[in-house]
Amino acid sequence: MAERGGLKGWHRWWWLCHIVGVERNVDLRTASRDVLIDIITRLQAANALLEQRIAQLEGQAKSQNSRRMPGLKPKADGKPAQPKKPRRARRQGFARTRMTPTHRVEHAVEQCPGCGTQLSGGWTQRTREVIDLPQVPAEVTEHVYLARACPICQRRCIPKAQSKGVAAGKQRLGVNLLSLIAALREEARLPVRTIQWYLETVHGLHLSLGAIVGATRKVAGQAQRELAGILERIRGSPVVHADETGWRQDGVNGYVWTFSTPTERYFLRRGRDKAVVDEVLGEEFAGVLVSDFYAAYHHYAGPKQRCWAHLLRDIHDLRVLHPKDRRLVRWARAVNRLYRLAADFTGPSAKQGRTARLALEKRLLALRQPYLDDPSAAQSKLCRRISNHIKSLPRTGYGELFVFVAEPEVPPDNNAAERNLRHLVVSRKISGGTRSHQGTDTKMTLASIFGTWRAQGLNPLSACRQLLSSPQL
């Protein structure tokens, strides 16, 4: 039997003999008095040595603890570790949250595997979430219109076609399918053949390439009222951003123009002349036009804010070309400091904003004056540009570089317009442009309405369904 402590008697005796150096064949029950006294003496000596070693180890541990802060574990190199700072509380958790289940499948054992007893009831031991998409084939609904004859007057009665919310116009493609095709084409920027493959692979629906192109044209045709409303709201906005980029149609170069506000997007393809500005904005627009330094915007007589990002970028490029020109470096730094001063200005009243605007314009005119007529100066061309856009205009009495100082709702740059064009630029790199005038009009219309829905925070697919379901007057 095992003794107290978990060791048998012979194990204890072997360990004792090993410590004191006694031969293992000695029997304590029959050993003589001298042998027992010798064993006790050896045990006392071993005990004294062990107590001395324990005291030495405790002294070393105390000396190490005194050299480091309490509660910290020493590093591997012997240096004390730095105390950990408490973790800053997060505003929200970033753990993956479970979705609301649409189906519930219960798994339970019907019979006890040990005795075969029938089991019932139970409790939730664990759960597992599985997210999947069902294979939903396309639905083909046949609408049958029955003709009935009146038994009294013998008049034949035929019901009117009820297509509201089901189909757009007299075509076989439903509202949901049209919206999906338009969203895949414009929002996902998928080629027509990829859309054809998706519909056939996922939904078992084969449509010709012409049917898919016709679907996008149908959505664009239904969106003409929405497009006219976007243009009207842009013309009534106090601030409008404008920009342009290249777009090829049937291999011929052209330009896509964008006129936008924080909640509206309008795109069209034209040439690169000033008539496009008049066509879009019209005579009733009296707001601030934010643009770059392209000459097509010069003739607009209303207030204009030129893009400081373009100007500062040109100054930076000039410094890269002339890194050892000290006059250029000093001038560039002075212009940058002046811009930062203007960007940080927060006037409590409109009068103070106008005063600060005039003061900043005078300082900028003073910076460009020494190099304006100096052909040897690398910055002379940029100084002439500043001079052309800082002069007081006949209609407003102010220049075109510091409008944002007097009017806080006006931004100092035209980055918003460039961001609005990015979606079309990516689409252009994928497709290379459009093939026909009708295709270009469809593309610009879809880009305008989908871009507007995107800017307004709407779901483009749901918004397109609502557009096609609404009655067209």
Side-chain angles (χ1 to χ4, degrees):
M1 294 179 63
E3 297 182 357
R4 186 179 305 172
L7 291 177
K8 293 184 178 180
W10 68 272
H11 278 157
R12 287 186 173 185
W13 174 240
W14 181 89
W15 179 76
L16 182 63
C17 293
H18 178 74
I19 292 296
V20 301
V22 179
E23 296 183 2
R24 303 176 186 175
N25 56 0
V26 175
D27 189 357
L28 294 179
R29 292 174 294 182
T30 61
S32 64
R33 181 174 179 275
D34 295 336
V35 173
L36 294 176
I37 292 175
D38 182 56
I39 293 176
I40 294 172
T41 304
R42 292 185 182 186
L43 286 174
Q44 290 176 347
N47 186 41
L49 291 175
L50 291 175
E51 290 181 352
Q52 183 181 1
R53 181 57 179 168
I54 291 173
Q56 182 182 1
L57 293 176
E58 289 179 348
Q60 292 178 0
K62 290 181 180 179
S63 62
Q64 291 180 359
N65 290 335
S66 62
R67 289 197 300 267
R68 68 172 185 264
M69 296 179 63
L72 296 179
K73 296 182 179 179
K75 292 185 178 179
D77 55 0
K79 297 181 180 180
Q82 297 295 330
K84 292 185 177 180
K85 297 180 180 179
R87 183 175 179 178
R88 184 175 59 182
R90 295 178 176 177
R91 296 183 179 178
Q92 62 179 12
F94 292 94
R96 184 176 62 192
T97 58
R98 288 184 177 269
M99 302 175 63
T100 303
T102 56
H103 299 282
R104 179 183 174 93
V105 179
E106 293 185 353
H107 303 270
V109 179
E110 299 296 334
Q111 293 182 348
C112 177
C115 62
T117 303
Q118 195 72 19
L119 303 179
S120 62
W123 61 92
T124 302
Q125 178 67 24
R126 66 185 182 94
T127 61
R128 178 186 177 187
E129 183 181 65
V130 178
I131 304 174
D132 201 357
L133 291 176
Q135 294 288 340
V136 181
E139 293 184 354
V140 180
T141 304
E142 182 181 20
H143 293 264
V144 180
Y145 299 90
L146 300 178
R148 292 175 176 175
C150 177
I152 298 177
C153 64
Q154 300 301 318
R155 181 178 179 178
R156 187 173 60 177
C157 302
I158 303 176
K160 295 182 179 180
Q162 301 291 334
S163 61
K164 180 180 177 181
V166 177
K170 298 179 180 180
Q171 63 168 9
R172 62 175 186 152
L173 302 186
V175 168
N176 293 332
L177 180 56
L178 285 176
S179 303
L180 178 61
I181 292 175
L184 292 175
R185 182 66 173 150
E186 179 58 32
E187 210 43 35
R189 297 186 287 254
L190 295 182
V192 176
R193 293 186 182 274
T194 306
I195 298 176
Q196 183 187 46
W197 171 87
Y198 168 78
L199 294 176
E200 186 168 5
T201 304
V202 178
H203 302 288
L205 174 63
H206 176 75
L207 292 179
S208 65
L209 300 179
I212 297 175
V213 173
T216 58
R217 292 177 181 175
K218 182 63 178 179
V219 176
Q222 295 286 104
Q224 292 304 311
R225 287 183 57 201
E226 181 70 18
L227 187 66
I230 293 173
L231 182 58
E232 183 179 357
R233 291 189 293 271
I234 287 178
R235 289 174 176 175
S237 177
V239 182
V240 172
H241 292 262
D243 201 5
E244 70 284 337
T245 189
W247 187 274
R248 294 171 67 86
Q249 175 183 305
D250 197 19
V252 179
N253 292 333
Y255 292 90
V256 167
W257 293 70
T258 175
F259 295 85
S260 59
T261 67
T263 58
E264 311 292 335
R265 306 286 187 268
Y266 186 80
F267 300 94
L268 75 162
R269 182 187 182 274
R270 295 289 187 273
R272 208 183 182 195
D273 53 82
K274 64 181 182 180
V276 182
V277 180
D278 299 333
E279 176 186 352
V280 176
L281 298 181
E283 299 179 355
E284 61 270 21
F285 178 69
V288 180
L289 178 62
V290 184
S291 67
D292 53 20
F293 295 90
Y294 181 52
Y297 306 104
H298 292 354
H299 74 287
Y300 173 64
K304 296 187 286 291
Q305 172 62 56
R306 300 293 180 165
C307 180
W308 269 92
H310 284 77
L311 180 59
L312 296 178
R313 192 182 304 129
D314 292 340
I315 294 175
H316 172 75
D317 295 341
L318 195 62
R319 287 186 59 182
V320 174
L321 291 176
H322 305 277
K324 298 182 180 180
D325 193 338
R326 295 184 178 180
R327 293 196 306 169
L328 174 61
V329 171
R330 289 194 299 268
W331 177 79
R333 290 177 178 174
V335 175
N336 275 274
R337 284 195 300 268
L338 189 62
Y339 168 71
R340 288 196 296 268
L341 181 64
D344 296 337
F345 174 80
T346 54
S349 64
K351 183 177 180 180
Q352 291 183 353
R354 290 190 296 268
T355 303
R357 176 179 176 178
L358 289 174
L360 291 168
E361 289 177 351
K362 290 180 180 179
R363 292 181 60 177
L364 187 57
L365 287 173
L367 288 176
R368 58 89 185 171
Q369 188 60 38
Y371 313 101
L372 188 61
D373 299 324
D374 186 2
S376 62
Q379 63 269 34
S380 60
K381 184 177 180 180
L382 291 179
C383 289
R384 288 194 294 271
R385 180 193 298 181
I386 292 173
S387 180
N388 293 333
H389 296 285
I390 204 67
K391 293 179 180 178
S392 297
L393 301 179
R395 180 176 173 180
T396 61
Y398 297 98
E400 302 173 352
L401 292 176
F402 292 107
V403 178
F404 67 95
V405 177
E407 302 182 25
E409 68 274 9
V410 178
D413 52 56
N414 198 30
N415 293 340
E418 295 185 354
R419 287 192 295 267
N420 297 338
L421 280 173
R422 189 172 301 164
H423 191 85
L424 271 176
V425 171
V426 176
S427 180
R428 179 190 65 196
K429 292 182 177 180
I430 295 174
S431 62
T434 47
R435 301 284 300 274
S436 64
H437 180 73
Q438 187 177 13
T440 301
D441 290 344
T442 300
K443 178 63 178 179
M444 297 302 109
T445 300
L446 294 181
S448 299
I449 60 174
F450 276 84
T452 299
W453 292 333
R454 201 182 310 120
Q456 294 175 356
L458 302 177
N459 185 337
L461 183 60
S462 301
C464 190
R465 290 190 189 125
Q466 184 178 359
L467 171 69
L468 298 177
S469 300
S470 61
Q472 302 293 322
L473 298 179

